[in-house]
Amino acid sequence: MSETQFTPRVFSGIQPSGGLTLGNYLGAIKRFVDMQGDEFETVYCMVDLHAITARFIDPDTLRHNTRELCAGFIAAGIDPQQSILFNQSQVPEHAQLAWIFNCVARMGWMQRMTQFKDKAGKNAQNQSLGLFAYPALMAADILIYHATHVPVGEDQKQHVELTRDIAIKFNHDFGVDFFPVTEPVIEGAATRVMSLRDGSKKMSKSDASDMSRINMTDDADAIAAKIRKARTDPEPLPSELDGLDDRPEARNLVNIYAALAETTPEAVITDHGGQQFSVFKPALADLAVAKLAPISTEMSRLMDDPGEIDRILAHGAEQARAITAPILKRTYEIVGMVGA
Ligand code: AQP
């Protein structure tokens, strides 16, 4: 383990690959907000270079998604005065360090990444090289800040472990103690929000069915309709938490309730155990609307002034580069690049 004292610094990012979902909010953004404060420097990124790995998005849509994601961060409580907020492509050191990490990471490590297998499916030969190399870019995103903590949803755990392996191998190969061994922060009741249509699948912005997810831009009627139609089983909620063990859809709704109410699944079962879904779902819909509607209203207000969003992102990129430029320069020196 590292003996160097690194500045406590949080980095995390979200792809502007579509609209924000409740999964992104509960698994990531809400946690990002919780980590703002005196304990850490906080750096949050719209990872637009990642967003083109699965396929190129229409350019206007990508620009819209990036601005909307920034609006979502701010509407949910990320304060650009307190956190650095920017889009990845404007800080070139991310991609530059990623190249070095492409040369650190081993093919065998990358071939074990389950996200690539899930996204590529049976069509791996036809995927972009960028999708395969995604985790090395993610490691660069984190380590170009010497970030010590990364709040993510459960699905990103393996990528953070790979980031740790890359840091350890680089430090070992060059006999330095330069990159921190970053800690994943995977906490809370909703580290893996599942699809509303299939309790075995993660809620995702790219799922073909809009009914599978709650979008952060959905209005109250859409949120209530999606929760009402969410797939469940015919049994009432159990009176003990372990009664949810083989009931993934019911478990998902309880977890969502707990995360939105900032309580535990145990407490939700204490209050709602024994209820039919015809009673629990409207209670969940009311809670979701109460928590999400103010965010979506603020998002659309911010989206009325895209120039202001662009100014926030440009300022964030400048602040980010003040951290990343010296770290890249030192990396190049360690590796032996003349002129670094
Ligand atoms: N369903 C989820 N539950 C909890 N956390 C989630 N996250 C995503 N979905 C859930 C967390 O959100 C952060 C950003 O994820 P991302 O947008 O970079 O990529 P992703 O994980 O691939 O998310 P999506 O929605 O499934 O995007 P697409 O469809 O474009 O691939 C991460 O911290 C992630 O854990």
Side-chain angles (χ1 to χ4, degrees), residues 145-157:
Y145 296 91
H146 278 183
T148 52
H149 295 78
V150 186
V152 281
E154 183 68 40
D155 60 315
Q156 294 299 324
K157 186 167 184 248

Side-chain angles (χ1 to χ4, degrees), residues 12-15 17-18 21 23-24 26-28 32 47 115 119 134 151-156 190-194 202-207:
S12 201
I14 297 192
Q15 299 184 74
S17 47
T21 70
N24 297 134
L26 295 177
F32 302 173
V47 286
Q115 180 173 288
K119 290 199 171 177
Y134 182 119
V152 281
E154 183 68 40
D155 60 315
Q156 294 299 324
T191 56
R192 189 168 174 82
V193 178
M194 307 310 281
K202 184 185 86 143
M203 183 181 287
S204 176
K205 15 179 152 66
S206 56
D207 194 298

Side-chain angles (χ1 to χ4, degrees), residues 211-258:
M211 293 304 284
S212 70
R213 63 180 162 263
I214 293 174
N215 305 301
M216 295 304 287
T217 47
D218 283 343
D219 62 19
D221 288 348
I223 294 173
K226 286 176 179 181
I227 292 176
R228 200 172 52 245
K229 291 191 182 148
R231 188 170 149 189
T232 42
D233 55 51
E235 301 300 316
L237 284 177
S239 51
E240 302 286 335
L241 195 63
D242 55 15
L244 289 173
D245 280 353
D246 297 318
R247 300 176 60 190
E249 283 91 7
R251 172 92 219 192
N252 189 37
L253 296 187
V254 168
N255 285 353
I256 292 173
Y257 193 108

Side-chain angles (χ1 to χ4, degrees), residues 135-339:
L137 176 58
M138 180 166 159
D141 297 336
I142 295 167
L143 294 174
I144 198 65
Y145 296 91
H146 278 183
T148 52
H149 295 78
V150 186
V152 281
E154 183 68 40
D155 60 315
Q156 294 299 324
K157 186 167 184 248
Q158 194 185 33
H159 287 167
V160 182
E161 280 161 5
L162 183 96
T163 300
R164 293 163 64 89
D165 290 341
I166 288 176
I168 291 167
K169 180 163 165 54
F170 182 97
N171 288 346
H172 177 265
D173 287 356
F174 290 99
V176 292
D177 192 11
F178 184 60
F179 286 116
V181 181
T182 308
E183 292 295 332
V185 182
I186 302 172
E187 288 170 0
T191 56
R192 189 168 174 82
V193 178
M194 307 310 281
S195 157
L196 298 179
R197 307 302 304 160
D198 178 351
S200 68
K201 269 169 67 183
K202 184 185 86 143
M203 183 181 287
S204 176
K205 15 179 152 66
S206 56
D207 194 298
S209 163
D210 192 57
M211 293 304 284
S212 70
R213 63 180 162 263
I214 293 174
N215 305 301
M216 295 304 287
T217 47
D218 283 343
D219 62 19
D221 288 348
I223 294 173
K226 286 176 179 181
I227 292 176
R228 200 172 52 245
K229 291 191 182 148
R231 188 170 149 189
T232 42
D233 55 51
E235 301 300 316
L237 284 177
S239 51
E240 302 286 335
L241 195 63
D242 55 15
L244 289 173
D245 280 353
D246 297 318
R247 300 176 60 190
E249 283 91 7
R251 172 92 219 192
N252 189 37
L253 296 187
V254 168
N255 285 353
I256 292 173
Y257 193 108
L260 286 169
E262 302 190 13
T263 182
T264 59
E266 287 84 351
V268 176
I269 288 299
T270 304
D271 290 348
H272 298 271
Q275 280 178 358
Q276 298 289 344
F277 283 105
S278 56
V279 177
F280 182 66
K281 281 179 170 177
L284 175 58
D286 287 348
L287 175 65
V289 169
K291 295 284 178 174
L292 303 180
I295 300 177
S296 117
T297 307
E298 180 61 3
M299 274 174 82
S300 58
R301 192 190 68 76
L302 291 163
M303 284 299 279
D304 285 342
D305 189 357
E308 177 57 13
I309 292 182
D310 290 2
R311 277 188 289 280
I312 290 169
L313 291 174
H315 177 62
E318 237 174 76
Q319 293 175 299
R321 293 202 73 191
I323 302 173
T324 58
I327 291 179
L328 185 77
K329 181 174 168 23
R330 182 69 193 123
T331 308
Y332 276 3
E333 281 167 2
I334 292 169
V335 171
M337 304 294 184
V338 171

Side-chain angles (χ1 to χ4, degrees), residues 59-95:
D60 284 337
T61 306
L62 180 58
R63 278 185 279 271
H64 171 86
N65 289 350
T66 304
R67 292 185 180 116
E68 189 180 76
L69 181 52
C70 182
F73 272 83
I74 297 170
I78 300 294
D79 176 1
Q81 305 294 331
Q82 216 182 339
S83 294
I84 299 178
L85 204 56
F86 66 100
N87 58 316
Q88 186 187 26
S89 59
Q90 299 311 298
V91 180
E93 289 80 8
H94 287 243

